[in-house]
Structures are given as C-alpha cells and as structure tokens.
Amino acid sequence: MALVVGAAALLSFPLWSPNPYITSAGVVVLSYAVLSTSWNFVGGFTGYMSLGHAAWFGLGAYGTGLLITRAGVPSFLALVLAGVIVAVLAVPIGIAALRVRGASFVIVSIALVLVLLLVFQSWREFTGGSDGLVVPRPFPDLLRPQHHMVFFLLFAVLLGLALLAWWTIDRSRFGLGLKAIREDEDKAQSLGVPTFAYKLVAFVVSATFTALGGGLYALWFGDLDPIFQFSILLGSYMVLMALLGGVRHLFGPVLGAFVVGVAIEYFKVSFGDTQFHLVATGLLLAVVVLFMPDGVIPAAQGVLARFRPQQSSIREVTAAELRERAEVAR
C-alpha cells in the first residue's frame, strides 16, 4: 500500500508543482535517483566503490547527442543505441578495472573519468570541446513547463525499470553470489562462485543504466558540457546518495537522492554562485560515514526493532513448558 501511494504521489508531482522551476528541480532529483540506483548495482551488490561512474553518465549523454547531431538518428532511438554502445564498451573496461580491489579500484575509476574528460574536451571537431554540444529537443512543439512534465515521467519510468532490475537480482541466485562477493570475495570464490564473471555482469548493468540516465538528461537539458558530464563530483554524489539511504536496501539510493538532491538545489538557490553546497555535501558525507555507516533506512529499522516485543526462541519456550509439566506432575 505504501509503495502504491508513493508511486502515485511521485507520478502526480508535475500536476501539483507550483511552478516550472520546481518541476525542473524535480526532474534533477529524479535523475539523481536514477544515477544512484544505477551505481548501487556495483556498490551495493559487490561492495566495489566507484567514484568514476560519471564516465558512463557522460558517455551516455554525449553518445545520445552525437548520434542525433552527427548521424541524424531519432532522439529516443539514439538514447537506446547509446546505452547499447556503453554496455559494449563497459565489457573490456570492466575486464581491466575489476582485476583490482579496494583503493586501487577507486583510483582506476577516477582515472577513467579524467581520461574521458580530457578526450571530450580536446576533440573539438567532433564533440564540440569546451564549447559543449547542443542537443535538439525531442519535443520542439512543447512549451518549457510541458517539456519538464514529460521528462519527469520519462525519468520516473527509467527509475522504475532500474528498481525492478535491482529487485529481481536481489532475489536471484546471481544476486546471492554478488552478496557473497561483497562479504568475502576470496571465500566466495573458494566456494565455487564465478566471482569475476558475476562482477563483470553487475558492472555492465550498472554502466548501462547510468548511460541511459545520462542520455535522457541530454535530451531534457539539451546543452552538454564535458566538465559537468564527466565530473568526479557527480560520481561522488552518486556514492553519497546511495550510502545515505542504505546500499543494501532497494529504496535506499532513492531516499538518499531525494535528501541530497533537494539539499543541493536549495543551497544553489540560497547561496548563488558560491561553493557552499560543496562544503555542505562534504559535511553530510562525514556525518553519514561516522554515525550511519549502513544508511538511514537500516538505522531507522534498527531503532524500530528496539521497541518491538522480543520473541522467545524455541528452546526457551520448550524449557518453560517442561518446567510447567514437571510442576503439574508433582
């Protein structure tokens, strides 16, 4: 019931939004939810912390824009093709990157996004370089408010698909293997789990959904800048949102995206062009790591569990019954 009510409230948001700016902010927050959920396929299941997921976001955005502007592909076909291209590219990159763990994997992920940033900034003839790339709107006849409403619903559909995929994996044998990798990769491998193949599949799925989120953002915003599309800060936001809500919970990244996304938009409006929102983000990350390492949802569940009546174990109940029977027999 709560899920149905929440979905209905989400889908009806553009109808009761007070103005187009609030609707556009809702699109941004929803895009964050898509990205953090996409990141959670790797971070939540395998425990591999990637700070360079903005690489897939940027490739999806630029792939969609370049297919439209350079090849004349229709907008949403370009979006799908860009997702397929990124999925193919993620295979060899994942084979190379997933051979290392821990801090080494974090460094590799950061290096990937920095390399792509330099490539897309320097290749001016093809990507537009630092001047950016203008992507034609898929619905040119719509006014800006209606444009925001349509893309809010499109992002909601993409988020629903990502959540459905995560939920399906979470309850599958494949998901059980990924969780074993997260807890102890060496022990999982010794028990027969094909750890490298499992990690690679999760890596490709995560990259594909992130690229689709980037491509949809390109169609909505229409103006691509390599500094933003390949931003380590954006990758850090994905990690923060997932950690804040709880990486082991289906709706954890969504909750984190709502809190962090709303806070970022509020700070940007309140403090203009200052970098205060970066300071606030860093403080929020520190608080989460120190006091809620498992996220808000698991922490709330732990608090509620303290107030629930504790059930006795079978052994305790059996012992009590035996004592009662002994007294009756006497």
Side-chain angles (χ1 to χ4, degrees):
M1 182 64 68
L3 181 61
V4 172
V5 172
L10 175 66
L11 294 175
S12 64
F13 171 77
L15 300 178
W16 50 266
S17 176
N19 56 63
Y21 171 75
I22 299 298
T23 307
S24 67
V27 175
V28 173
V29 172
L30 209 53
S31 70
Y32 283 151
V34 170
L35 297 180
S36 58
T37 302
S38 302
W39 179 91
N40 207 33
F41 283 96
V42 171
F45 280 130
T46 69
Y48 277 62
M49 305 295 288
S50 171
L51 290 178
H53 249 55
W56 311 119
F57 176 79
L59 285 175
Y62 268 94
T64 302
L66 291 173
L67 284 171
I68 295 172
T69 57
R70 308 298 187 192
V73 179
S75 298
F76 290 99
L77 178 58
L79 171 66
V80 175
L81 290 178
V84 173
I85 292 172
V86 169
V88 173
L89 291 175
V91 174
I93 294 175
I95 291 174
L98 292 171
R99 296 185 181 279
V100 295
R101 308 181 192 175
S104 299
F105 179 79
V106 176
I107 294 172
V108 169
S109 67
I110 294 174
L112 174 62
V113 72
L114 291 178
V115 168
L116 289 174
L117 171 61
L118 292 176
V119 169
F120 278 79
Q121 271 189 317
S122 304
W123 201 359
R124 180 181 298 272
E125 295 79 10
F126 186 64
T127 66
S130 299
D131 295 332
L133 179 69
V134 177
V135 181
R137 293 169 57 180
F139 307 109
D141 296 332
L142 291 181
L143 299 177
R144 183 59 67 177
Q146 287 73 33
H147 181 79
H148 294 329
M149 292 177 63
V150 169
F151 273 90
F152 184 91
L153 297 177
L154 290 175
F155 271 110
V157 171
L158 182 57
L159 176 60
L161 292 175
L163 290 173
L164 178 61
W166 202 95
W167 181 85
T168 303
I169 292 175
D170 185 49
R171 284 156 176 76
S172 66
R173 184 182 181 87
F174 171 60
L176 187 62
L178 292 176
K179 295 173 189 176
I181 294 172
R182 180 185 64 202
E183 300 302 326
D184 193 327
E185 185 171 345
D186 293 327
K187 189 176 293 184
Q189 188 171 7
S190 67
L191 293 174
V193 178
T195 56
F196 190 81
Y198 276 28
K199 291 188 299 183
L200 183 60
V201 173
F203 186 82
V204 173
V205 171
S206 178
T208 303
F209 273 109
T210 307
L212 291 174
L216 200 58
Y217 180 89
L219 294 179
W220 170 65
F221 195 71
D223 190 4
L224 303 182
D225 180 3
I227 295 179
F228 172 76
Q229 311 306 139
F230 298 98
S231 169
I232 296 178
L233 181 62
L234 179 60
S236 302
Y237 283 160
M238 297 183 204
V239 178
L240 172 60
M241 293 168 191
L243 290 179
L244 178 62
V247 295
R248 302 187 182 190
H249 195 280
L250 174 63
F251 296 106
V254 178
L255 175 61
F258 177 79
V259 175
V260 176
V262 171
I264 290 173
E265 292 300 309
Y266 173 78
F267 288 136
K268 286 182 178 179
V269 172
S270 301
F271 300 99
D273 296 331
T274 66
Q275 299 300 312
F276 180 79
H277 66 282
L278 300 180
V279 178
T281 302
L283 292 175
L284 181 60
L285 179 59
V287 169
V288 170
V289 172
L290 289 175
F291 301 103
M292 293 182 293
D294 293 328
V296 172
I297 293 179
Q301 290 175 337
V303 171
L304 292 176
R306 296 180 182 179
F307 297 96
R308 293 173 182 170
Q310 301 295 323
Q311 296 181 352
S312 301
S313 67
I314 296 176
R315 180 174 297 176
E316 291 172 343
V317 173
T318 303
E321 290 178 352
L322 289 175
R323 286 195 298 269
E324 184 179 355
R325 291 177 184 178
E327 292 177 358
V328 170
R330 292 175 184 174

